[in-house]
Amino acid sequence: MPNNLKKPTIIFDMDGTLLDLAYDDFIWNHQLPIRYAETHGCTLEQSNQALFQFYQEHNHTLNWYSTRFWSAKVGLDTLALQHEFKHKVALRSGCMELLDALKAQDYPCWIATNADCAGLQFKLEQMQIAHYFDVIISSESIGYAKESIEFWQNLHTLHPFCLDSAYFIDDTEKVLNSAKKFGIANLITIAQPSSKGKIRDESAYPILNHLTDLMQMLEHTEDMKKYA
Ligand SMILES: [Mg+2]
């Protein structure tokens, strides 16, 4: 098949892109403060303050995404906490429709997530979506968070893909910025990563209001190629 007719690789973030970020918000911002207060015998306010301090120190680092790190830091098993509320893990609206449509049209789909290996495995088991993806990678196994260009350099060495045609969809602007620096051509953000959160109407990147809107974007690009 001539190179220009190859389907572009579609790389998805997981939490906040394919999966509803409301779950992570519930675990880390609501349940963990309660458990931390219980474990350490402090008030909920003190617990929130302590956790906020930790969050500020580690945001956008590999530690931030590591359940092992947080378990040691807060003195309770954060992976067990996630399992306890596993019934709350949910796909974002339109996720299955989008993955079915991409699969039917033979688009290679990947997951590139900052979730650590244990968190990734847990969520994939809950949602049963692993079979849609040709490559599933955690930044923990790469050794750099997606916010670092080194993540993309290492991913590309391990799993080469065409930067000029690839799509990367992620709800975090800092992550999209590093993907842009690395040279991924088509970068898209998410309007509402959490079903209980705000709707984003401004971004440096095109915004997906509904996941299934991606199909129209792709069809448009494929049409442009045919007449190029
Ligand atoms: Mg995300």
Side-chain angles (χ1 to χ4, degrees):
M1 189 186 278
N3 220 15
N4 63 342
L5 291 179
K6 256 193 190 169
K7 297 273 185 181
T9 303
I10 318 290
I11 308 174
F12 289 100
D13 166 48
M14 184 171 70
D15 300 319
T17 297
L18 296 174
L19 269 56
D20 191 344
L21 201 63
Y23 170 80
D24 306 273
D25 185 43
F26 172 78
I27 294 293
W28 298 98
N29 296 323
H30 296 275
Q31 274 305 311
L32 187 59
I34 294 170
R35 297 299 170 90
Y36 184 88
E38 286 168 2
T39 306
H40 298 281
C42 61
T43 65
L44 191 57
E45 198 189 345
Q46 288 165 332
S47 167
N48 273 318
Q49 275 173 1
L51 291 173
F52 181 74
Q53 178 77 31
F54 296 156
Y55 290 175
Q56 292 293 100
E57 283 168 28
H58 299 282
N59 200 357
H60 297 296
T61 67
L62 262 190
N63 279 343
W64 172 262
Y65 303 105
S66 166
T67 45
R68 253 200 325 267
F69 169 82
W70 284 112
S71 295
K73 186 92 183 161
V74 300
L76 59 107
D77 187 341
T78 56
L79 190 59
L81 180 63
Q82 292 180 67
H83 277 272
E84 195 181 324
F85 293 97
K86 63 184 180 187
H87 57 283
K88 285 185 173 277
V89 180
L91 297 174
R92 290 192 59 246
S93 169
C95 180
M96 290 310 274
E97 292 92 320
L98 173 62
L99 294 178
D100 281 333
L102 290 169
K103 190 95 177 163
Q105 294 186 32
D106 292 324
Y107 281 96
C109 294
W110 297 12
I111 287 179
T113 179
N114 271 330
D116 64 2
C117 297
L120 170 63
Q121 194 188 344
F122 159 64
K123 285 185 174 160
L124 290 177
E125 277 170 15
Q126 281 307 114
M127 293 296 101
Q128 297 289 307
I129 53 169
H131 61 282
Y132 285 101
F133 301 96
D134 304 290
V135 171
I136 298 178
I137 202 111
S138 159
S139 57
E140 185 184 43
S141 61
I142 297 272
Y144 293 94
K146 289 190 295 179
E147 287 86 336
S148 306
I149 196 161
E150 288 89 347
F151 170 87
W152 299 103
Q153 289 163 342
N154 283 288
L155 174 66
H156 194 255
T157 304
L158 276 173
H159 302 283
F161 61 96
C162 175
L163 292 174
D164 294 339
S165 64
Y167 284 72
F168 175 53
I169 304 107
D170 196 297
D171 63 307
T172 301
E173 190 131 327
K174 277 195 177 176
V175 170
L176 289 166
N177 291 345
S178 73
K180 184 178 181 181
K181 217 187 273 177
F182 183 60
I184 297 180
N186 304 292
L187 300 165
I188 300 170
T189 192
I190 297 288
Q192 194 182 21
S194 162
S195 59
K196 295 189 168 62
K198 282 190 218 139
I199 297 175
R200 177 182 285 148
D201 55 12
E202 261 181 53
S203 171
Y205 301 96
I207 301 173
L208 261 189
N209 286 306
H210 299 286
L211 276 176
T212 48
D213 293 347
L214 182 66
M215 291 316 292
Q216 278 115 45
M217 286 190 190
L218 292 172
E219 276 158 27
H220 178 71
T221 310
E222 296 295 294
D223 273 353
M224 301 280 283
K225 275 189 199 164
K226 273 182 214 157
Y227 297 107

Short mmCIF file of all heavy atoms in Angstrom, two decimals, residues 5-35:
data_model
loop_
_atom_site.label_atom_id
_atom_site.label_comp_id
_atom_site.label_asym_id
_atom_site.label_seq_id
_atom_site.Cartn_x
_atom_site.Cartn_y
_atom_site.Cartn_z
N LEU A 5 -1.52 6.33 1.70
CA LEU A 5 -2.84 5.74 1.90
C LEU A 5 -2.93 4.95 3.20
O LEU A 5 -3.97 4.41 3.54
CB LEU A 5 -3.23 4.84 0.72
CG LEU A 5 -3.48 5.59 -0.59
CD1 LEU A 5 -3.82 4.62 -1.71
CD2 LEU A 5 -4.60 6.62 -0.44
N LYS A 6 -1.81 4.87 3.89
CA LYS A 6 -1.83 4.18 5.19
C LYS A 6 -2.67 4.95 6.18
O LYS A 6 -2.63 6.17 6.22
CB LYS A 6 -0.39 4.10 5.74
CG LYS A 6 0.23 2.74 5.60
CD LYS A 6 1.47 2.74 6.45
CE LYS A 6 2.30 1.51 6.19
NZ LYS A 6 3.62 1.63 6.80
N LYS A 7 -3.42 4.24 6.98
CA LYS A 7 -4.24 4.92 7.99
C LYS A 7 -3.33 5.53 9.06
O LYS A 7 -2.37 4.89 9.49
CB LYS A 7 -5.17 3.92 8.68
CG LYS A 7 -6.16 3.27 7.74
CD LYS A 7 -7.40 4.14 7.62
CE LYS A 7 -8.45 3.41 6.78
NZ LYS A 7 -9.65 4.19 6.60
N PRO A 8 -3.64 6.74 9.48
CA PRO A 8 -2.82 7.34 10.54
C PRO A 8 -2.99 6.60 11.86
O PRO A 8 -4.05 6.02 12.13
CB PRO A 8 -3.37 8.76 10.66
CG PRO A 8 -4.71 8.73 10.05
CD PRO A 8 -4.71 7.63 9.02
N THR A 9 -1.95 6.62 12.67
CA THR A 9 -2.02 6.04 14.01
C THR A 9 -2.78 7.01 14.92
O THR A 9 -2.51 8.21 14.91
CB THR A 9 -0.59 5.83 14.56
OG1 THR A 9 0.12 5.00 13.65
CG2 THR A 9 -0.61 5.17 15.94
N ILE A 10 -3.73 6.47 15.68
CA ILE A 10 -4.51 7.30 16.58
C ILE A 10 -4.09 6.96 18.01
O ILE A 10 -4.32 5.83 18.46
CB ILE A 10 -6.04 7.04 16.45
CG1 ILE A 10 -6.45 6.89 14.98
CG2 ILE A 10 -6.82 8.14 17.17
CD1 ILE A 10 -6.40 8.13 14.17
N ILE A 11 -3.46 7.90 18.68
CA ILE A 11 -2.97 7.65 20.04
C ILE A 11 -3.89 8.36 21.04
O ILE A 11 -4.11 9.57 20.94
CB ILE A 11 -1.52 8.17 20.20
CG1 ILE A 11 -0.62 7.60 19.09
CG2 ILE A 11 -0.97 7.79 21.58
CD1 ILE A 11 0.80 8.15 19.08
N PHE A 12 -4.41 7.57 21.95
CA PHE A 12 -5.32 8.11 22.97
C PHE A 12 -4.65 8.14 24.34
O PHE A 12 -4.00 7.17 24.74
CB PHE A 12 -6.57 7.23 23.11
CG PHE A 12 -7.51 7.29 21.95
CD1 PHE A 12 -7.50 6.29 20.98
CD2 PHE A 12 -8.42 8.33 21.83
CE1 PHE A 12 -8.39 6.32 19.91
CE2 PHE A 12 -9.31 8.37 20.76
CZ PHE A 12 -9.29 7.37 19.81
N ASP A 13 -4.92 9.21 25.06
CA ASP A 13 -4.72 9.23 26.50
C ASP A 13 -5.85 8.36 27.10
O ASP A 13 -6.84 8.07 26.43
CB ASP A 13 -4.84 10.69 26.95
CG ASP A 13 -4.99 10.84 28.44
OD1 ASP A 13 -4.20 10.21 29.16
OD2 ASP A 13 -5.90 11.57 28.88
N MET A 14 -5.72 7.95 28.35
CA MET A 14 -6.78 7.13 28.95
C MET A 14 -7.70 7.99 29.86
O MET A 14 -8.83 8.28 29.48
CB MET A 14 -6.18 5.96 29.74
CG MET A 14 -7.25 5.02 30.30
SD MET A 14 -6.57 3.48 31.00
CE MET A 14 -5.76 4.08 32.47
N ASP A 15 -7.20 8.39 31.02
CA ASP A 15 -8.06 9.08 32.00
C ASP A 15 -8.39 10.50 31.54
O ASP A 15 -7.50 11.31 31.27
CB ASP A 15 -7.37 9.14 33.36
CG ASP A 15 -7.07 7.74 33.89
OD1 ASP A 15 -7.93 6.86 33.75
OD2 ASP A 15 -5.96 7.53 34.44
N GLY A 16 -9.67 10.79 31.44
CA GLY A 16 -10.10 12.12 30.99
C GLY A 16 -10.29 12.20 29.49
O GLY A 16 -10.77 13.21 28.98
N THR A 17 -9.86 11.15 28.79
CA THR A 17 -10.03 11.12 27.32
C THR A 17 -10.96 9.97 26.94
O THR A 17 -12.05 10.19 26.44
CB THR A 17 -8.65 11.00 26.63
OG1 THR A 17 -7.89 12.17 26.95
CG2 THR A 17 -8.78 10.88 25.13
N LEU A 18 -10.53 8.73 27.22
CA LEU A 18 -11.42 7.57 26.97
C LEU A 18 -12.28 7.29 28.20
O LEU A 18 -13.43 6.87 28.10
CB LEU A 18 -10.58 6.33 26.64
CG LEU A 18 -9.76 6.40 25.36
CD1 LEU A 18 -8.86 5.17 25.24
CD2 LEU A 18 -10.65 6.52 24.13
N LEU A 19 -11.68 7.51 29.38
CA LEU A 19 -12.38 7.23 30.65
C LEU A 19 -12.77 8.54 31.34
O LEU A 19 -12.05 9.54 31.24
CB LEU A 19 -11.48 6.41 31.58
CG LEU A 19 -11.60 4.89 31.50
CD1 LEU A 19 -11.34 4.36 30.09
CD2 LEU A 19 -10.60 4.23 32.46
N ASP A 20 -13.87 8.47 32.06
CA ASP A 20 -14.40 9.64 32.77
C ASP A 20 -13.48 10.00 33.94
O ASP A 20 -13.25 9.18 34.84
CB ASP A 20 -15.81 9.31 33.27
CG ASP A 20 -16.55 10.52 33.79
OD1 ASP A 20 -15.89 11.56 34.05
OD2 ASP A 20 -17.78 10.44 33.93
N LEU A 21 -12.98 11.22 33.93
CA LEU A 21 -12.07 11.67 34.98
C LEU A 21 -12.79 11.85 36.33
O LEU A 21 -12.13 12.01 37.36
CB LEU A 21 -11.40 12.99 34.56
CG LEU A 21 -10.11 13.37 35.26
CD1 LEU A 21 -8.99 12.36 34.99
CD2 LEU A 21 -9.65 14.77 34.83
N ALA A 22 -14.11 11.77 36.32
CA ALA A 22 -14.88 11.90 37.56
C ALA A 22 -14.44 10.83 38.57
O ALA A 22 -14.42 11.08 39.78
CB ALA A 22 -16.37 11.76 37.27
N TYR A 23 -14.06 9.64 38.08
CA TYR A 23 -13.61 8.57 38.98
C TYR A 23 -12.34 8.99 39.72
O TYR A 23 -12.25 8.86 40.94
CB TYR A 23 -13.37 7.27 38.19
CG TYR A 23 -12.68 6.22 39.00
CD1 TYR A 23 -13.40 5.43 39.89
CD2 TYR A 23 -11.30 6.01 38.90
CE1 TYR A 23 -12.77 4.48 40.68
CE2 TYR A 23 -10.66 5.06 39.68
CZ TYR A 23 -11.40 4.29 40.55
OH TYR A 23 -10.77 3.36 41.33
N ASP A 24 -11.35 9.47 38.97
CA ASP A 24 -10.07 9.86 39.59
C ASP A 24 -10.26 11.02 40.55
O ASP A 24 -9.65 11.07 41.62
CB ASP A 24 -9.07 10.23 38.49
CG ASP A 24 -8.93 9.12 37.49
OD1 ASP A 24 -8.12 8.22 37.71
OD2 ASP A 24 -9.69 9.12 36.49
N ASP A 25 -11.14 11.93 40.17
CA ASP A 25 -11.45 13.07 41.04
C ASP A 25 -12.07 12.56 42.35
O ASP A 25 -11.70 13.01 43.44
CB ASP A 25 -12.43 14.00 40.29
CG ASP A 25 -12.69 15.26 41.07
OD1 ASP A 25 -11.73 15.82 41.62
OD2 ASP A 25 -13.87 15.67 41.15
N PHE A 26 -12.97 11.60 42.22
CA PHE A 26 -13.63 11.03 43.41
C PHE A 26 -12.61 10.35 44.33
O PHE A 26 -12.61 10.55 45.54
CB PHE A 26 -14.69 10.02 42.95
CG PHE A 26 -15.30 9.24 44.07
CD1 PHE A 26 -16.27 9.80 44.88
CD2 PHE A 26 -14.91 7.93 44.33
CE1 PHE A 26 -16.83 9.08 45.94
CE2 PHE A 26 -15.45 7.20 45.38
CZ PHE A 26 -16.42 7.78 46.18
N ILE A 27 -11.71 9.55 43.73
CA ILE A 27 -10.72 8.82 44.54
C ILE A 27 -9.74 9.77 45.22
O ILE A 27 -9.55 9.74 46.43
CB ILE A 27 -9.92 7.81 43.66
CG1 ILE A 27 -10.84 6.70 43.13
CG2 ILE A 27 -8.72 7.23 44.42
CD1 ILE A 27 -11.39 5.76 44.17
N TRP A 28 -9.13 10.63 44.40
CA TRP A 28 -7.99 11.42 44.90
C TRP A 28 -8.40 12.68 45.64
O TRP A 28 -7.71 13.11 46.56
CB TRP A 28 -7.03 11.76 43.75
CG TRP A 28 -6.47 10.53 43.14
CD1 TRP A 28 -6.90 9.90 42.00
CD2 TRP A 28 -5.41 9.70 43.66
NE1 TRP A 28 -6.16 8.75 41.77
CE2 TRP A 28 -5.25 8.61 42.76
CE3 TRP A 28 -4.58 9.80 44.78
CZ2 TRP A 28 -4.29 7.61 42.97
CZ3 TRP A 28 -3.62 8.80 44.98
CH2 TRP A 28 -3.49 7.72 44.09
N ASN A 29 -9.53 13.27 45.26
CA ASN A 29 -9.91 14.54 45.87
C ASN A 29 -11.05 14.42 46.89
O ASN A 29 -11.33 15.37 47.60
CB ASN A 29 -10.30 15.56 44.79
CG ASN A 29 -9.11 15.90 43.90
OD1 ASN A 29 -7.98 15.99 44.38
ND2 ASN A 29 -9.35 16.04 42.61
N HIS A 30 -11.70 13.26 46.93
CA HIS A 30 -12.80 13.10 47.89
C HIS A 30 -12.57 11.95 48.86
O HIS A 30 -12.63 12.13 50.07
CB HIS A 30 -14.14 12.94 47.15
CG HIS A 30 -14.50 14.17 46.37
ND1 HIS A 30 -15.16 15.23 46.94
CD2 HIS A 30 -14.23 14.54 45.10
CE1 HIS A 30 -15.29 16.20 46.04
NE2 HIS A 30 -14.73 15.80 44.92
N GLN A 31 -12.28 10.77 48.33
CA GLN A 31 -12.11 9.62 49.22
C GLN A 31 -10.77 9.65 49.97
O GLN A 31 -10.72 9.38 51.16
CB GLN A 31 -12.22 8.30 48.44
CG GLN A 31 -13.65 7.81 48.29
CD GLN A 31 -14.36 7.68 49.63
OE1 GLN A 31 -13.85 7.10 50.58
NE2 GLN A 31 -15.56 8.25 49.72
N LEU A 32 -9.69 9.95 49.23
CA LEU A 32 -8.37 9.93 49.87
C LEU A 32 -8.28 10.89 51.06
O LEU A 32 -7.78 10.49 52.12
CB LEU A 32 -7.25 10.17 48.84
CG LEU A 32 -5.83 9.98 49.39
CD1 LEU A 32 -5.62 8.56 49.93
CD2 LEU A 32 -4.78 10.28 48.33
N PRO A 33 -8.79 12.13 50.93
CA PRO A 33 -8.74 13.02 52.11
C PRO A 33 -9.48 12.43 53.31
O PRO A 33 -9.01 12.57 54.45
CB PRO A 33 -9.43 14.31 51.62
CG PRO A 33 -9.23 14.30 50.14
CD PRO A 33 -9.27 12.85 49.74
N ILE A 34 -10.60 11.75 53.08
CA ILE A 34 -11.35 11.14 54.19
C ILE A 34 -10.51 10.03 54.84
O ILE A 34 -10.35 9.97 56.06
CB ILE A 34 -12.70 10.56 53.67
CG1 ILE A 34 -13.61 11.70 53.19
CG2 ILE A 34 -13.40 9.73 54.75
CD1 ILE A 34 -14.86 11.24 52.45
N ARG A 35 -9.93 9.17 53.99
CA ARG A 35 -9.13 8.05 54.52
C ARG A 35 -7.86 8.54 55.21
O ARG A 35 -7.43 7.98 56.21
CB ARG A 35 -8.75 7.09 53.37
CG ARG A 35 -9.92 6.43 52.71
CD ARG A 35 -10.73 5.58 53.70
NE ARG A 35 -11.97 5.14 53.11
CZ ARG A 35 -12.11 4.00 52.44
NH1 ARG A 35 -11.09 3.20 52.28
NH2 ARG A 35 -13.28 3.68 51.93
#
